[in-house]
Amino acid sequence: MRHLIALTLTVFLALTGFAAAQEAPQPDYAAWEKLAGQAEQILQSGQANDARLDAIRAEVVKWRDSFRAAEGTNATRIATLRDQIAALGPPPAEGATESEDIAARRKELGAQMSELQAPGLAAVEAYGRADGVIQQIDRFQRDRQTSALLRIAPSPLNPANWGPALQDGYKLAAGLVGEVSARLANQGGWSGAREWLPKVAGVLLAALLLLTKGRRWIDSLPMRLSARVSDRTRATLVFAVSLGQIFVPLLGVVLLVIALLVTGLFGAWGRPLIMTLPAAGLAFFAGVWLSRRIFPSPQDDISTCLPVSDKARLHGRRYGVALSASLALHQIFGSAVLPLSGFLNQPGPEGRVPLQISDASAAIWHLPVILLGALFLFRLSDVLRQLPQQDNAENPAYRVRIMAIFGSIGRLIAIFSALAALIGYTAGANAILWPTVMTIGLVGFLILLQDFIADLYAMAKGGDSAARDSLMPVLVGIALVIASLPLFALIWGARSSELSELWSQLKQGVAFGGVRLSPTRILAFLVIFAVGYWVTRFVQGALRTTILPKTKIDAGGQNAIVSGLGYVGIMIALMLAVTSAGIDLSSLALFAGALSVGIGFGLQNIVSNFVSGIILLIERPITVGDWIEVGGKQGIVKRISVRSTHIQTFDRTEVIVPNSDFVSQSVTNWTRNNLSGRVIVPVGVAYGTDTRKVERVLKEIAEDQPTVLITPPPAIIFRGFGADSMNFEIRAIVSDVNGGTGVISEINHQIARRFAEEEIELPFPQRDIWLRNAETLNPTAAQNPPRKAAPLSPDPGPQQPPMDPRTIGLRPLDDDAKIAKGRDDGDDDGDDGDSGTSGYGEQFERN
């Protein structure tokens, strides 16, 4: 198998090398000169019609493509000669000489270079001439189109033109009837029609069924299928099935056209009209479908894509259907009968009917259709313009604002086109009215398509409703909008040849700062970078889950390796994408220098955090899983990214710390080298307790803890004498400091239990209150000296009511009364020395 693969690759490389080595055939420059001369003469005369100009242009485009291919003639040999000439060194300066052998070799290589470059230079010259001819044809056709659109016809309001217009209409009807009658007579009358009548009758019956019943059947199909599918697939199914409302009736129109053509009764008068029916049917049925989807009735059970009230839905649906019918009528008569049809002025697939209609008659027959279309466009635009007012959101959705803008523009265009048609600018009115209608319809279709893609993506995600509002459907919707730009251009009169020319220019690339960008280069850049990014993520995942867990590298080191590999892989993918796309970044040196200055000033914090992140990954002062403290925040390191580090605090909050803080500030890493750490448990006992006994009990409690290390052993320290207790401390080293809080809690539980068993008394605060100037509390205190308090008896007798502490030591201040406060230092000048004190006259002393 391996030999077969090797043989296949060898043959493939050989064939591709042979194909690459083959030179492109040289163009026939004599034939090209003849064609170019004829094209330039035709353009100077200005007599050629659009069909002739399109044919000449297509031929010139083929020649230009052959010239472009010939520009690379002898490219490989020319590159080799350049390397050989460069190997000879720079040519001697003016007045200097070089070796005769080198000079002769340089002259010989120069002659070969000139000979090899000659075909390419001829192709470049011919390419420039061909491109100039194409631009002249495009400019000539645009000028002709502009002149046709700005041509003014006699005003349709002039009664003098109504008679000829009616005569032209009578001629059209007479021509159709006469043609059908003549052809029927040639077939032998109705007796001769018996041969095709059964076939036509069957096709007509199928067409009538599809046109009348097919739509109703399609409307009921979603309700039948929705009972058999889940809720997550119902929206996509209803949308997909609803498209049958367009194609099923359109199939009926196609069958109707086939049936009419099979009869053989229609010729130069009838076939142009019949062949426009499919396009007109598509416009009508698509417009009806859009109107029902964008403005659904409550009975349709369809979620609306725009915030519209029930009354506005009814009006929008009616005006949309009427506008679609007007557009269909315009397509039928504008393509097959009437001139001055705007961008639809070109004849249909079968040409026009053999009737020369004057501009005055065409303006009159166009006027009612234009006025109807303008009226319905104005009313529909008024509904769209009021969408933001009907949306209850403070910030309306983007689609609502877009449709409201189109509504405002549509109202102006409706008024302008109606006035232009009344004045006589019939072609201009058609050129602006109907493209506006189709543009609004295409925008509505894109909105519906975006909703369908969102529903489809949500269905692919298992029915997750949140997936409908995710990024992927939005990106796909943006891609659809970009892909629809050629359709908008075609609607507004752009020719397919102009779009192909634009695409040809885009493929050559657009110069930007010395770098030529083209869609193929951009696509190659995106594809290669995406592949490189995916390969990097795949390798990172394989290392993280398969390889690194089997090594002895700690978790922090594994994370550093994976992150570093990600940075390196992305940089390599970026460089490969740039080089593979052929983008020369050397011309952007000046731009890069200016960008570096901007980075130095405006992006210095971002760059600082990025560099700090690299330093953290290399030096590894902290790793994922470490217990750290930085900036007054403690927690566990969860992730180290390019810009910041994520820390989860012990109360389960996420703290995002810039990486530069870890480099510029002090960082406490509790678990940097190992997980062991010290815990300190303070303990107080009452005075009079045997201190040696307390030391022994505390040591036993500490040693009984399973996570407390024996080496070094826990230490019991008698810290000293406190105000209310004798203070001890348990200092122990635990194997995992992350569980230190649990160890402290368990030690406290054991202390409470063992102290109760050993009858060791826990202290409580004690205070002795000394009252100075006690005689001020009782007026009779000075007359009755204090007596020794009698011991408490079971019946102490009547008690004095408790004294209000707020009245202790308070009395009016006069010259004879002084309030002693604080320490009695013999100061009797009445100045208490502290205006912020209460002056109650008591003092608290610790025992």
Side-chain angles (χ1 to χ4, degrees), residues 446 449-450 453 471-486:
L446 290 175
L449 196 58
Q450 287 179 352
I453 292 173
L471 178 62
M472 184 58 64
V474 175
L475 295 179
V476 175
I478 294 174
L480 286 175
V481 172
I482 296 175
S484 65
L485 293 179

Side-chain angles (χ1 to χ4, degrees), residues 806-822:
R806 292 175 296 178
T807 62
I808 298 177
L810 293 180
R811 63 176 179 174
L813 295 176
D814 51 20
D815 294 337
D816 298 331
K818 305 295 182 181
I819 299 178
K821 177 177 60 177

Side-chain angles (χ1 to χ4, degrees), residues 368-672:
V369 181
I370 292 176
L371 292 179
L372 286 176
L375 174 63
F376 297 136
L377 176 62
F378 184 87
R379 301 301 297 270
L380 179 62
S381 300
D382 191 59
V383 174
L384 298 177
R385 187 178 61 90
Q386 297 176 3
L387 287 177
Q389 286 79 13
Q390 298 182 15
D391 193 358
N392 296 326
E394 296 181 359
N395 188 15
Y398 186 73
R399 61 177 59 180
V400 174
R401 296 197 296 268
I402 289 294
M403 295 303 289
I405 292 174
F406 276 105
S408 301
I409 296 175
R411 284 162 52 95
L412 298 177
I413 290 178
I415 297 174
F416 176 80
S417 59
L419 294 177
L422 292 173
I423 294 172
Y425 288 99
T426 305
N430 285 319
I432 192 174
L433 174 63
W434 305 113
T436 302
V437 173
M438 290 187 283
T439 299
I440 294 176
L442 183 55
V443 171
F445 177 72
L446 290 175
I447 292 175
L448 294 176
L449 196 58
Q450 287 179 352
D451 289 344
F452 172 71
I453 292 173
D455 293 333
L456 196 64
Y457 184 76
M459 183 183 68
K461 286 291 186 179
D464 186 7
S465 59
R468 195 178 187 278
D469 299 327
S470 59
L471 178 62
M472 184 58 64
V474 175
L475 295 179
V476 175
I478 294 174
L480 286 175
V481 172
I482 296 175
S484 65
L485 293 179
L487 294 178
F488 286 103
L490 291 174
I491 288 174
W492 286 95
R495 298 187 303 275
S496 58
S497 58
E498 293 178 340
L499 296 180
S500 62
E501 180 66 20
L502 179 61
W503 176 248
S504 177
Q505 294 178 0
L506 288 177
K507 287 194 297 183
Q508 293 181 8
V510 179
F512 176 74
V515 177
R516 183 166 292 276
L517 299 178
S518 64
T520 54
R521 289 186 176 185
I522 295 175
L523 182 62
F525 174 84
L526 294 177
V527 169
I528 295 175
F529 180 76
V531 171
Y533 183 82
W534 179 83
V535 170
T536 301
R537 293 305 184 193
F538 178 79
V539 174
Q540 282 184 298
L543 284 175
R544 184 183 293 109
T545 60
T546 306
I547 299 176
L548 292 178
K550 298 179 180 179
T551 63
K552 297 182 179 180
I553 303 175
D554 58 277
Q558 295 179 13
N559 179 74
I561 293 174
V562 171
S563 300
L565 180 64
Y567 296 150
V568 174
I570 291 175
M571 291 299 298
I572 294 175
L574 182 61
M575 290 188 293
L576 288 176
V578 170
T579 55
S580 301
I583 301 175
D584 185 12
L585 299 180
S586 60
S587 58
L588 296 179
L590 182 61
F591 177 75
L595 182 62
S596 63
V597 175
I599 290 176
F601 287 98
L603 304 178
Q604 55 182 344
N605 291 332
I606 298 177
V607 175
S608 175
N609 292 325
F610 176 78
V611 174
S612 300
I614 300 297
I615 294 174
L616 294 179
L617 291 177
I618 295 176
E619 294 186 353
R620 294 175 56 201
I622 61 172
T623 57
V624 175
D626 285 353
W627 173 13
I628 66 171
E629 180 180 358
V630 57
K633 300 292 185 180
Q634 287 193 24
I636 306 299
V637 178
K638 291 299 181 181
R639 187 166 69 92
I640 302 175
S641 62
V642 176
R643 190 193 66 85
S644 60
T645 297
H646 295 240
I647 301 174
Q648 187 181 70
T649 62
F650 298 112
D651 55 358
R652 298 299 179 181
T653 58
E654 193 82 8
V655 178
I656 301 175
V657 182
N659 288 332
S660 58
D661 291 353
F662 293 93
V663 178
S664 61
Q665 297 182 10
S666 299
V667 180
T668 302
N669 195 329
W670 300 97
T671 57
R672 175 65 181 93

Side-chain angles (χ1 to χ4, degrees), residues 15 48 63 115 121 125 146 168 190 198 290 311-312 348 359 415 444 537 557 569 590 594 676 701 753 758 774 779 817:
L15 291 177
W63 280 101
E115 182 180 358
L121 295 177
E125 181 182 359
T146 303
D168 290 338
W190 289 108
L290 279 172
K311 183 178 180 181
D359 290 348
I415 297 174
R537 293 305 184 193
L590 182 61
S676 61
I701 292 174
R753 184 181 62 83
E758 300 290 340

